[in-house]
Amino acid sequence: MQAKVSKVVFHPFAAEKTWKPQVTTALELLQEVTLELTALLGRSTLTVQELLGLREGSVIRLDRVAGEAVDLLLDGQVFGRGEVLVINDRFVVRLLQVFPSPGIGSEGGEDKGE
């Protein structure tokens, strides 16, 4: 039994249907990504007994002094420091310092700590 062989016919593309690649930058791809930003006012360590004793109006002492810069976290990672302000009865944070990201600018993309 012999297979039947025939020529393939390709139809030309219409000029108006030409494909144009859409050029996007890496930053454009990230514009819709949502990240959690946290301003850490301070920390405190409580015993379970102290925790169970908390009531409305209780005061918890933090490890920071009033007016001291707060840590800023992006998805749980510290990325800078800020200052807490009140504008129009709302708390806002003014960015004071952004820490360099480990690995940026180093060879291989990782900070080897050498």
Side-chain angles (χ1 to χ4, degrees), residues 14-91:
E16 64 274 358
K17 292 185 180 180
T18 56
W19 180 74
K20 293 181 183 177
Q22 182 177 356
V23 179
T24 58
T25 64
L27 190 56
E28 288 174 327
L29 295 173
L30 296 175
Q31 286 183 352
E32 299 300 319
V33 174
T34 302
L35 301 171
E36 180 178 304
L37 176 66
T38 303
L40 185 62
L41 297 175
R43 296 179 188 268
S44 184
T45 303
L46 302 173
T47 65
V48 173
Q49 181 178 2
E50 292 169 327
L51 180 66
L52 293 174
L54 293 177
R55 300 289 179 255
E56 189 174 316
S58 294
V59 175
I60 301 170
R61 180 176 290 201
L62 302 176
D63 63 350
R64 302 257 173 124
V65 178
E68 186 178 347
V70 297
D71 289 331
L72 300 175
L73 290 77
L74 199 54
D75 277 351
Q77 299 295 315
V78 177
F79 80 95
R81 308 266 304 181
E83 172 184 33
V84 178
L85 306 170
V86 178
I87 298 178
N88 296 330
D89 295 327
R90 291 215 179 255
F91 286 111

